[in-house]
């Protein structure tokens, strides 16, 4: 019923390996969570831009494409 020293050392090495894997996975999860936050914010900005462009293009009272294009460029500069 006694565990051999060799088996003990192997199990201990495995525990250390698993602890390192856990640490690496936690770091990777944190980086992924940060990247997701950045992507969500960028997605919100792009959604606002698309909504503004759609609203501008559907409410064309000017009947002049150059005026609409100038307004779209203005909106894009505001978001940057």
């Amino acid at each position: 019923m006694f565990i051999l020293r060799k088996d003990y050392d192997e199990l201990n090495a495995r525990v250390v390996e698993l602890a390192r894997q856990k640490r690496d996975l936690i770091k990777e999860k944190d980086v992924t969570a940060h990247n997701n936050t950045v992507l969500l914010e960028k997605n919100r900005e792009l959604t606002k831009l698309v909504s503004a462009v759609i609203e501008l293009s559907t409410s064309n009272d000017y009947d002049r494409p150059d005026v609409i294009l100038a307004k779209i460029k203005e909106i894009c500069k505001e978001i940057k």
Side-chain angles (χ1 to χ4, degrees), residues 22-56:
K22 177 186 171 191
R23 180 196 63 208
D24 293 343
L25 287 172
I26 288 172
K27 284 181 183 178
E28 185 179 326
K29 179 190 74 75
D30 291 342
V31 169
T32 302
H34 173 73
N35 289 343
N36 285 345
T37 304
V38 170
L39 288 174
L40 284 172
E41 182 59 35
K42 189 66 175 173
N43 191 22
R44 285 187 197 103
E45 290 176 10
L46 291 174
T47 302
K48 288 179 187 177
L49 174 64
V50 169
S51 297
V53 169
I54 289 172
E55 182 180 332
L56 198 68

Side-chain angles (χ1 to χ4, degrees), residues 5-19:
R5 182 72 178 172
K6 177 184 172 189
D7 293 338
Y8 177 79
D9 289 342
E10 288 174 357
L11 290 172
N12 195 29
R14 181 69 177 142
V15 167
V16 170
E17 178 186 342
L18 290 173

